[in-house]
Amino acid sequence: MKTNEIRQVVQTRYGKFAAAAGRTVASCCSKPASKACCALEQGLYSGSELSSVPETARNLSRGCGNPTGFANLQTGEVAVDFGCGGGIDVILAARKVGGRGKVYGVDFTPEMIERAKEAVAQAGLPDSAIEFREASLDDTALPDALADVVISNCVINLTPDKDAVYREAFRILKPGGRLAISDILLTGPIDAELRERLQSMWAGCTGGALPEGDYWETVNNAGFSEVKIVARHLLSDPELNEMAHCPGEEYTPSPAANDLDRLSGKVESVKFTAIKPSLGFVV
Ligand SMILES: C[S@@+](CC[C@H](N)C(=O)[O-])C[C@H]1O[C@@H](n2cnc3c(N)ncnc32)[C@H](O)[C@@H]1O
């Protein structure tokens, strides 16, 4: 699939999900085994975090981590959420940076931004706390050196040009700024023909996942240093099955059973931090 086709497929699938989930009260993942696509059901958010977030944002949550839990956000900081979806992490971040801080939520799916704005209003946060940008992550149009922190939750695997996304994160971070990312990657390379077929389910978080070595090379090539793994989790087969058709079976087709077997034991969710060096280059 070409870059534009991938973007279109991802946007359409998440757009339909946002439109539908905003009308219903479906829980994040409805089946007991369905925990991988959903940081909520994995227990990665605390009870008090969840109770501070409106139901719309909880229903739309499709993260694989809790980046505000390890971003070490401080009062007064500026944070940008890459792929904010229904707004769960922008709301949590806004509570941490407080009135003197600021949070930007970037997402290219207009229906998601609409839902996230509703959630922010329901959360009772002032308009000035969070700004949204409808934009692709490789070109956010945010100013240079704006942010102390870029967070992202299960999104960068969905982007067709990860080099450009990490370069963009580097550009908008202040020198000394940091990444706090939760994402999906492969423990090693997979056959080209399997990768090709997986692209049909690109919205599911395996179609675009990079092999680990390529992923860290991308982060380092963008200029980041001090990559620290906070946690990693090898997906079980039921988790992999669920993750593969995220945000839900009705939006993303299930992969062939045989293809899932071949991916078994090769897909991980990883949480990590990294730093934009203060002088803007890696020593
Ligand atoms: C798996 S959901 C995660 C949403 C949110 N981070 C969460 O934890 O619930 C992926 C989100 O990333 C957005 N997204 C995917 N690719 C994107 C891109 N290239 N540019 C901007 N947003 C993107 C989708 O629209 C969707 O809202």
Side-chain angles (χ1 to χ4, degrees):
M1 275 167 92
K2 297 200 178 80
T3 297
N4 279 346
E5 283 176 280
I6 292 167
R7 289 203 181 103
Q8 189 68 50
V9 165
V10 171
Q11 210 172 32
T12 303
R13 289 177 177 166
Y14 281 95
K16 286 184 181 160
F17 169 59
R23 288 195 303 269
T24 64
V25 287
S27 85
C28 181
C29 298
S30 47
K31 293 175 241 153
S34 308
K35 298 187 190 299
C37 73
C38 183
L40 254 63
E41 307 237 338
Q42 289 180 79
L44 293 169
Y45 293 103
S46 70
S48 63
E49 284 173 321
L50 291 179
S51 59
S52 73
V53 170
E55 191 176 34
T56 318
R58 287 201 305 269
N59 286 344
L60 289 172
S61 170
R62 283 296 182 274
C64 50
N66 174 7
T68 63
F70 59 89
N72 193 24
L73 288 166
Q74 305 293 318
T75 308
E77 284 194 319
V78 176
V80 179
D81 185 5
F82 267 27
C84 61
I88 186 165
D89 295 323
V90 288
I91 291 171
L92 294 173
R95 298 210 190 286
K96 292 198 177 193
V97 300
R100 290 191 293 112
K102 179 104 186 177
V103 179
Y104 294 84
V106 183
D107 203 294
F108 69 0
T109 303
E111 294 89 342
M112 276 293 185
I113 299 263
E114 251 177 67
R115 297 295 176 221
K117 283 183 178 166
E118 285 165 19
V120 167
Q122 286 160 13
L125 287 160
D127 285 350
S128 57
I130 302 174
E131 268 184 43
F132 289 98
R133 294 280 188 281
E134 189 186 313
S136 187
L137 298 178
D138 46 27
D139 185 13
T140 63
L142 289 168
D144 291 355
L146 165 80
D148 298 286
V149 190
V150 170
I151 60 170
S152 187
N153 196 354
C154 225
V155 175
I156 296 174
N157 65 84
L158 294 169
T159 62
D161 187 351
K162 293 161 183 63
D163 292 308
V165 171
Y166 274 111
R167 279 198 305 269
E168 183 70 353
F170 192 87
R171 182 186 70 73
I172 66 165
L173 276 170
K174 297 172 184 168
R178 58 200 188 276
L179 296 175
I181 307 288
S182 184
D183 205 2
I184 297 293
L185 46 78
L186 305 176
T187 54
I190 56 171
D191 294 344
E193 38 86 30
L194 174 58
R195 171 164 286 284
E196 180 93 21
R197 279 202 303 283
L198 291 177
Q199 290 208 336
S200 70
M201 37 180 214
W202 192 285
C205 300
T206 53
L210 283 184
E212 170 158 29
D214 296 351
Y215 195 97
W216 301 129
E217 200 179 315
T218 297
V219 174
N220 288 323
N221 284 347
F224 290 101
S225 64
E226 297 180 50
V227 173
K228 290 199 178 96
I229 310 285
V230 176
R232 58 197 315 162
H233 168 68
L234 194 64
L235 300 194
S236 67
D237 289 347
E239 288 173 333
L240 175 60
N241 182 34
E242 190 65 26
M243 179 67 85
H245 52 63
C246 202
E249 280 171 291
E250 53 286 51
Y251 311 103
T252 304
S254 291
N258 188 34
D259 286 345
L260 271 181
D261 287 348
R262 291 173 67 188
L263 274 179
S264 175
K266 293 190 176 141
V267 183
E268 272 192 319
S269 91
V270 174
K271 289 106 189 135
F272 72 95
T273 58
I275 303 289
K276 172 173 176 171
S278 290
L279 295 175
F281 57 83
V282 186
V283 283

